[in-house]
Amino acid sequence: VKSGRNPNETSDSRLSRNGLVVLYTGEGKGKTTAALGLALRACGHGRRVLMVCFMKGNFRVGEIRAVENLPGFTLVLSGRSEFVDKRDPDPRDIHIAREGLKQAGEAVEKGNIDLLILDEAHVALDYGLLDLQDILNLIEIKPPEMDLILTGRNAPVELVKRADLVSEVLNIKHPFQKGIPAQAGIDF
Ligand code: ATP
Ligand code: MG
């Protein structure tokens, strides 16, 4: 995590901070991009952002290159490019997901970040890569002014109860349904 404050820090950014736990879930497209939108907004206020992307190891995603030029934004891909087998996840998938969560926990404990995004955390929980208790502990230890965003389908009810803001994205239609493949800049 890049150290020091962000040169963009605005006077608004430290006023009466009420750190929120935000969940983006549902079957529709837009959960990860909603989290990236808030990260961009936070960066504009000089808030330091750490985004850990579980189950993603694909360096083609546009955001990985875009954030290189954004002060205060650190993005970590905490997955492999292979698909994870839900019935029998590879020990390497479990290991890399736990390492990502550990890195996030250390940054939270050090007070190095203002916004933590755990992208696809709900899916990593659903696939047995992460433990719910570890996420609940992170929520407990986080500084009150720090924001935490979790994304992914099938948010567990325990997190929905604990969160301050929960938005569910509905799938009305998606180009994939008519055979249009993933598009650079829209899907990755
Ligand atoms: P995005 O990263 O684009 O914000 P997301 O985080 O809401 O999407 P995920 O479930 O993480 O959605 O899936 C990521 C990828 O799967 C994206 O390329 C996205 O376009 C595609 N996808 C998301 N929802 C659907 C859907 N309902 N049908 C087909 N493909 C989808
Ligand atoms: Mg996503």
Side-chain angles (χ1 to χ4, degrees):
V1 177
K2 294 162 197 162
S3 58
R5 295 223 59 91
N6 181 326
N8 291 333
E9 185 165 320
T10 65
S11 54
D12 292 339
S13 61
R14 293 177 76 81
L15 284 176
S16 64
R17 282 305 306 173
N18 198 340
L20 300 174
V21 177
V22 176
L23 308 188
Y24 290 120
T25 193
E27 301 290 317
K29 170 179 159 60
K31 302 173 290 291
T32 298
T33 41
L36 282 166
L38 290 195
L40 187 64
R41 182 173 280 171
C43 265
H45 285 288
R47 291 176 68 73
R48 297 158 302 174
V49 179
L50 172 63
M51 180 167 186
V52 178
C53 301
F54 296 105
M55 307 178 70
K56 283 181 189 165
N58 186 344
F59 288 87
R60 284 166 78 214
V61 291
E63 52 267 36
I64 190 105
R65 272 169 281 167
V67 306
E68 280 171 14
N69 303 312
L70 271 180
F73 196 140
T74 304
L75 193 150
V76 173
L77 295 180
S78 190
R80 302 187 304 138
S81 27
E82 289 84 357
F83 277 105
V84 181
D85 181 354
K86 187 174 181 179
R87 282 159 304 169
D88 184 25
D90 191 299
R92 285 174 292 179
D93 294 315
I94 296 174
H95 179 76
I96 196 166
R98 294 192 177 197
E99 284 299 310
L101 191 62
K102 198 170 131 199
Q103 191 175 344
E106 285 166 3
V108 170
E109 277 174 5
K110 283 190 191 131
N112 272 349
I113 42 175
D114 303 305
L115 166 62
L116 172 64
I117 301 172
L118 300 178
D119 182 47
E120 311 302 345
H122 306 145
V123 184
L125 288 168
D126 198 26
Y127 279 52
L129 306 184
L130 297 177
D131 278 334
L132 178 63
Q133 196 53 52
D134 290 334
I135 305 274
L136 290 169
N137 288 346
L138 198 61
I139 294 174
E140 282 313 308
I141 67 157
K142 83 168 189 65
E145 62 280 2
M146 194 196 99
D147 297 308
L148 173 62
I149 304 176
L150 298 110
T151 82
R153 292 154 195 236
N154 303 320
V157 64
E158 295 86 345
L159 289 179
V160 171
K161 280 188 189 146
R162 182 59 189 76
D164 302 295
L165 190 165
V166 181
S167 290
E168 180 175 11
V169 186
L170 282 183
N171 178 36
I172 306 292
K173 57 159 89 166
H174 190 288
F176 187 70
Q177 288 158 324
K178 54 178 177 183
I180 299 176
Q183 302 291 306
I186 296 283
D187 293 296
F188 62 90

